[in-house]
Amino acid sequence: MARILVTGGTGYIGSHTVVELMQQGYDVVIVDNLSNSNAEVLNGIEAIVGRKPDFENADCTNYVEMERIFNTYQPIDGVIHFAASKAVGESVEQPLMYYRNNIGSLLTLLEIMHVFPTKNLVFSSSCTVYGQPDAEHLPVDENAPLKKALSPYGNTKKINEDIIQDAAYADATLNATILRYFNPIGAHPSALIGELPNGVPNNLLPFVTQTAAGIRQELKVFGNDYNTPDGSCIRDYIYVVDLAKAHVKAIERMLNVPEREQVEIFNLGTGRGLSVLEIVNGFEKATGVRVPYTIVGRREGDIEQVWAAPQKANNILGWSAQTPIEDVLRSAWNWEKHLRNLS
Ligand code: UFG
């Protein structure tokens, strides 16, 4: 079976993807410096799959280390590159660290892939590249215009997409799939792996589950005066396991479909937008647990509404997000309970 190198494989989306890859029979080598994840995730993966992935504690910006890893595990049939810093606010405060990490790691990988026989790259991008799409571009498809990024983090995604396009133009043997994620939420149904937010969560779902668990007093809903049906922002929340499965489809396509385009881009979302209040109410309904909240002012830099047109991924990758939102919200709660030893 093919071997896939997964950078950031102990992180949130990475770990779920490793599980799906291994369950489909792939051999996986994780490269992660554990800067925002924990080696215990490897035990969770093993408990789910029944075997451990190979693991290398290394920084993807380090050429010498990465070269050693590529030499050790040849043949490597594909790379899925998750490893990146991802906190929007932190990126505003420490832009150079974000540019160094997020761009340096991709450059290192591409330089190595240029000289090794590994020629298939899947890259984690984000719907952040669309900014706030104009009304005629909602739901947003892959041809919608890209907007200036609102944060250094967002800009690293845009720049990395450009770097991949340029590298592929110069090297006809390099294949890439760029996956633009909408808002990943939830956890594996086993509750053995999930999201491990660092400190006070920035993202909605970890804040909701921590509030439900009593760790936070109340959720702050950032704004109810947006031009949306209930006034709160709208996003396309996609189940992390569905998202992980899309990566397996992307790899399968790169390995088996020679007539694909050299660089392909897919939006990964459900096609359905949900408001912050719909998520909170949906969570309470799905779990029976109350989430106290107050409405506060808007959060700087928030986009009012965005959701995906996922038809390209549906048709070409043969993938769609199918898990009902109630199940997804319950999975997030089960994971929080597992983390806190709640029954
Ligand atoms: N929200 C709250 N209260 C909170 C946290 C979030 O009301 O405590 C709201 C936000 O205002 C937003 C929605 O919940 O309307 C979702 O917020 P998240 O922070 O979970 O997600 P974002 O859409 O803001 O950010 C996500 C990713 C970023 C990425 C961005 C754009 O987390 O990495 O999408 O692609 F840059």
Side-chain angles (χ1 to χ4, degrees):
M1 195 57 165
R3 177 178 291 137
I4 308 299
L5 186 139
V6 180
T7 76
T10 52
Y12 175 43
I13 308 172
S15 58
H16 288 82
T17 300
V18 168
V19 164
E20 297 302 318
L21 285 165
M22 292 178 73
Q23 286 182 333
Q24 292 306 311
Y26 289 93
D27 289 329
V28 172
V29 183
I30 293 177
V31 181
D32 202 305
N33 66 357
L34 303 178
S35 61
N36 194 22
S37 61
N38 193 309
E40 280 194 14
V41 170
L42 299 168
N43 299 328
I45 293 170
E46 185 180 18
I48 296 169
V49 180
R51 63 187 209 281
K52 250 194 183 152
D54 287 307
F55 174 69
E56 293 282 345
N57 184 340
D59 188 321
C60 298
T61 61
N62 184 327
Y63 189 96
V64 175
E65 271 287 276
M66 293 304 285
E67 189 182 37
R68 176 189 64 76
I69 292 167
F70 268 70
N71 272 320
T72 305
Y73 292 96
Q74 282 303 316
I76 296 170
D77 302 281
V79 176
I80 307 182
H81 181 41
F82 291 105
S85 305
K86 63 167 188 179
V88 174
E90 184 184 55
S91 80
V92 176
E93 281 154 27
Q94 300 187 59
L96 301 183
M97 193 257 272
Y98 270 68
Y99 287 112
R100 170 77 65 199
N101 275 351
N102 293 6
I103 294 176
S105 57
L106 177 72
L107 289 176
T108 304
L109 270 177
L110 287 172
E111 283 166 356
I112 288 181
M113 290 173 71
H114 190 62
V115 293
F116 276 82
T118 307
K119 297 297 176 194
N120 296 314
L121 174 70
V122 176
F123 176 66
S124 295
S125 190
S126 164
C127 69
T128 194
V129 298
Y130 300 117
Q132 174 62 64
D134 301 332
E136 77 259 31
H137 290 298
L138 276 175
V140 66
D141 71 21
E142 293 80 358
N143 298 316
L146 305 189
K147 297 257 172 82
K148 185 174 159 37
L150 290 173
S151 69
Y153 160 78
N155 206 24
T156 65
K157 294 297 177 190
K158 167 72 173 62
I159 292 169
N160 276 347
E161 287 198 9
D162 290 344
I163 290 171
I164 289 169
Q165 296 281 5
D166 291 345
Y169 184 80
D171 176 358
T173 66
L174 176 68
N175 297 307
T177 304
I178 293 171
L179 301 178
R180 292 179 178 156
Y181 311 150
F182 284 68
N183 287 54
I185 61 169
H188 194 267
S190 64
L192 292 168
I193 55 170
E195 189 168 8
L196 277 172
N198 220 341
V200 181
N202 292 309
N203 293 117
L204 179 60
L205 249 292
F207 211 105
V208 165
T209 56
Q210 290 194 5
T211 306
I215 298 159
R216 313 272 160 213
Q217 235 179 1
E218 60 181 11
L219 168 75
K220 292 185 176 63
V221 173
F222 296 134
N224 68 345
D225 56 352
Y226 285 98
N227 184 24
T228 60
D230 67 21
S232 63
C233 292
I234 291 177
R235 297 286 184 277
D236 188 332
Y237 294 94
I238 174 167
Y239 186 35
V240 67
V241 175
D242 287 338
L243 187 62
K245 289 180 176 160
H247 294 75
V248 180
K249 294 282 188 184
I251 285 287
E252 276 170 7
R253 180 169 167 81
M254 299 185 89
L255 297 182
N256 302 323
V257 182
E259 62 274 19
R260 59 183 296 287
E261 283 174 35
Q262 201 187 345
V263 180
E264 291 186 324
I265 301 179
F266 297 102
N267 282 351
L268 298 181
T270 65
R272 177 180 176 210
L274 291 173
S275 73
V276 176
L277 294 174
E278 283 175 316
I279 288 286
V280 174
N281 295 333
F283 181 88
E284 290 185 335
K285 216 168 137 210
T287 62
V289 183
R290 219 169 69 78
V291 180
Y293 70 86
T294 46
I295 311 277
V296 299
R298 294 180 175 196
R299 182 171 70 177
E300 198 189 327
D302 258 343
I303 279 160
E304 179 175 274
Q305 45 187 323
V306 63
W307 67 98
Q311 283 74 17
K312 187 176 174 196
N314 300 161
N315 297 336
I316 296 182
L317 287 182
W319 166 90
S320 62
Q322 287 178 334
T323 311
I325 186 72
E326 298 75 31
D327 295 354
V328 177
L329 295 170
R330 256 193 303 273
S331 77
W333 178 230
N334 289 338
W335 167 243
E336 186 71 53
K337 286 197 291 186
H338 170 85
L339 278 180
R340 313 291 163 192
N341 292 318
L342 300 172
S343 56

